[in-house]
């Protein structure tokens, strides 16, 4: 079990990107969800508005799949969740898995904690080359 690194107050990924600390590469990937309610899908998950979100509409596990077209180095994965806003829909467990395809995904992080801010969930000491990644929220 790994504890996520809560970003310092005010240090959200957009601010980190402006300072050159991180680079957003999510736009280079194809995103898919295990399920979603109408109006609560990938577009809401990926927009810059913390008031919008993805809401699943199916049985667990709830999956966010991020697939890059070619091998891509991912050093940090930032996730925002707000348990205080809506505990019934905020994940209590997050599993981060990487691999070359969906059949060989290996878990690199497993986090159990109530979330209420930006978290650096998958900070790897070495770069992870991945063609596919899956976030499992439960």
């Amino acid at each position: 079990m790994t504890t996520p690194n809560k970003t310092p107050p005010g240090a959200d990924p957009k601010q980190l990107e402006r300072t050159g600390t991180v680079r957003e590469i999510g736009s280079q990937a194809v995103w898919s969800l295990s399920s979603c309610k109408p109006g609560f899908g990938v577009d809401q998950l990926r927009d810059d508005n913390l008031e919008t979100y993805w809401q699943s509409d199916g049985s667990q596990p709830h999956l966010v799949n991020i697939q890059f077209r070619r091998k891509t180095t991912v050093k940090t994965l930032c996730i925002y969740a707000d348990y205080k806003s809506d505990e019934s829909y905020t994940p209590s467990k997050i599993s981060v898995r990487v691999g070359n395809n969906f059949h060989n995904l290996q878990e690199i992080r497993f986090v159990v904690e109530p979330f209420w801010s930006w978290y650096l969930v998958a900070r790897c000491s070495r770069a992870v080359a991945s063609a596919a990644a899956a976030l499992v929220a439960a």
Side-chain angles (χ1 to χ4, degrees):
M1 184 167 29
T2 301
T3 302
N5 299 318
K6 187 174 178 183
T7 56
D12 68 48
K14 289 294 180 189
Q15 290 176 335
L16 295 173
E17 188 174 17
R18 282 191 291 275
T19 64
T21 307
V22 299
R23 183 169 53 102
E24 202 281 332
I25 61 170
S27 60
Q28 298 173 19
V30 175
W31 292 67
S32 61
L33 306 168
S34 55
S35 68
C36 69
K37 292 190 176 185
F40 295 90
V42 170
D43 290 341
Q44 292 73 32
L45 177 69
R46 297 265 307 134
D47 69 18
D48 289 335
N49 185 348
L50 297 182
E51 301 296 317
T52 61
Y53 50 89
W54 160 51
Q55 187 173 357
S56 62
D57 189 24
S59 58
Q60 292 186 11
H62 305 301
L63 302 172
V64 176
N65 296 303
I66 307 165
Q67 187 169 6
F68 292 92
R69 290 177 173 87
R70 61 179 199 236
K71 287 193 177 193
T72 303
T73 300
V74 177
K75 294 183 180 179
T76 303
L77 176 65
C78 299
I79 294 178
Y80 182 85
D82 191 354
Y83 181 81
K84 293 175 182 176
S85 281
D86 191 351
E87 62 189 62
S88 65
Y89 290 105
T90 302
S92 59
K93 296 180 276 191
I94 295 177
S95 171
V96 179
R97 302 172 187 171
V98 299
N100 292 322
N101 60 57
F102 291 110
H103 302 290
N104 75 350
L105 293 176
Q106 296 180 357
E107 187 172 84
I108 60 166
R109 293 286 187 266
F110 184 75
V111 182
V112 179
E113 177 171 321
F115 299 93
W116 60 81
S117 183
W118 280 105
Y119 286 84
L120 305 179
V121 175
R123 187 169 203 142
C124 306
S125 57
R126 59 182 170 74
V128 177
S130 66
L135 304 178
V136 182

